């Protein structure tokens, strides 16, 4: 079974440019997460989806970040415009429906963003 | 609120030596606890998890962790380190809300 797939793996852009990251979760997983991982830090939640609904976006900087999960499967995270401080790894994860399983999250390999 | 504290941002051991990575948690509800490993330029891979069954949990690659409620700890151990264990390790706590809250991580170095 395929794992969580993210693209691109690496992205280098100049500040003020837009960037988008894509995530395809494990088939059948209703819950999708976007985490931000700064260098030398643990992942921090940006947004969590249950199917198409964003149920926790309290940590998403809404002035420049947006996310969507159309049809409850794939998701896209966008930054516009990017700032130097956005350089980080953006991790996508998925899990079965809340209440099922044991809380384990399955992670993709991440998208590493460098803003120049 | 839930939180995780990992003691020691960097641990260095010799090959064949005991590995001990420390994790303390705070949770107002019975926690699910996890250890993940991250190799350079890769995502996080689950090592093991505690979900209120046995307090001593065995994971992959010879790692294990013991849940101690009285000490609010979930330390990760491995009897004999291997060069391939060099990576960053994250402790995480999860609960009924579905999110995982991660510690800052501990980078493990293994010396030959």
């Amino acid at each position: 079974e395929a794992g969580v797939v993210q693209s691109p793996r690496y992205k280098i852009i100049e500040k003020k440019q837009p960037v988008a990251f894509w995530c395809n979760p494990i088939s059948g997983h209703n819950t999708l997460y976007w985490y931000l991982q700064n260098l030398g830090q643990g992942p921090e939640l940006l947004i969590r989806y249950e199917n198409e609904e964003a149920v926790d976006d309290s940590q998403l900087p809404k002035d420049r970040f947006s996310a969507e999960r159309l049809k409850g499967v794939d998701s896209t995270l966008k930054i516009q415009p990017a700032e130097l401080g956005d350089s980080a790894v953006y991790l996508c994860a998925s899990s079965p429906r809340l209440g099922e399983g044991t809380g384990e999250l399955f992670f993709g390999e991440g998208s590493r963003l460098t803003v120049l | 609120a839930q939180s995780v504290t990992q003691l020691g941002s960097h641990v260095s051991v010799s090959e064949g030596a005991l590995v001990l990575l420390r994790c303390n948690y705070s949770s107002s509800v019975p926690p699910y606890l996890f250890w993940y490993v991250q190799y350079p330029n890769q995502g996080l891979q689950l090592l093991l998890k505690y979900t209120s069954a046995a307090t001593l949990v065995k994971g992959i690659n010879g790692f294990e962790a013991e849940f101690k409620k009285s000490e609010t700890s979930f330390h990760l151990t491995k009897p004999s380190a291997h060069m391939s264990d060099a990576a960053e390790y994250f402790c995480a706590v999860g609960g009924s809300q579905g999110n995982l809250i991660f510690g800052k991580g501990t980078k493990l170095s293994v010396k030959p």
Side-chain angles (χ1 to χ4, degrees):
Chain A
E1 180 179 295
V4 176
V5 179
Q6 292 188 244
S7 69
R9 289 292 317 281
Y10 304 92
K11 188 74 175 180
I12 301 174
I13 61 173
E14 295 191 345
K15 62 181 180 181
K16 301 185 181 180
Q17 294 299 305
V19 63
F21 305 111
W22 174 82
C23 174
N24 179 247
I26 291 173
S27 177
H29 281 190
N30 297 90
T31 309
L32 184 145
Y33 310 76
W34 283 102
Y35 278 84
L36 166 68
Q37 186 177 21
N38 286 305
L39 185 65
Q41 300 293 316
E44 300 174 355
L45 181 70
L46 285 173
I47 188 168
R48 175 168 65 95
Y49 283 93
E50 293 291 338
N51 299 306
E52 311 83 18
E53 183 182 0
V55 296
D56 184 354
D57 64 354
S58 58
Q59 301 303 310
L60 188 72
K62 298 181 183 62
D63 56 337
R64 298 184 300 107
F65 286 66
S66 64
E68 61 182 11
R69 192 184 184 197
L70 301 177
K71 301 181 181 179
V73 181
D74 296 359
S75 178
T76 302
L77 177 70
K78 298 179 181 178
I79 309 174
Q80 182 171 8
E83 298 179 351
L84 295 177
D86 297 331
S87 295
V89 177
Y90 293 84
L91 292 165
C92 181
S94 69
S95 68
R97 187 188 309 275
L98 186 64
E100 299 176 354
T102 53
E104 175 185 353
L105 302 191
F106 298 80
F107 283 86
E109 293 191 301
S111 294
R112 180 179 296 275
L113 173 66
T114 301
V115 182
L116 304 176
Chain B
Q2 296 175 309
S3 65
V4 167
T5 301
Q6 291 185 241
L7 300 176
S9 59
H10 192 185
V11 170
S12 182
V13 301
S14 297
E15 192 171 21
L18 171 71
V19 175
L20 171 60
L21 304 182
R22 300 178 186 273
C23 172
N24 288 89
Y25 70 91
S26 172
S27 179
S28 57
V29 298
Y32 291 163
L33 293 163
F34 305 82
W35 277 99
Y36 281 83
V37 61
Q38 187 177 36
Y39 298 100
N41 298 317
Q42 294 188 24
L44 278 72
Q45 177 184 0
L46 182 70
L47 272 179
L48 50 80
K49 58 186 177 185
Y50 167 77
T51 57
S52 75
T55 56
L56 182 61
V57 182
K58 295 186 183 298
I60 62 172
N61 301 338
F63 284 93
E64 62 182 37
E66 185 172 8
F67 172 70
K68 292 187 176 180
K69 184 177 180 180
S70 61
E71 300 177 6
T72 61
S73 69
F74 191 58
H75 302 330
L76 182 71
T77 60
K78 182 174 181 179
S80 177
H82 191 273
M83 297 295 292
S84 61
D85 295 327
E88 190 145 24
Y89 293 79
F90 293 94
C91 182
V93 61
S96 59
Q97 298 305 310
N99 298 341
L100 289 191
I101 297 170
F102 288 86
K104 293 184 181 299
T106 298
K107 187 173 183 179
L108 176 66
S109 300
V110 182
K111 299 175 290 186

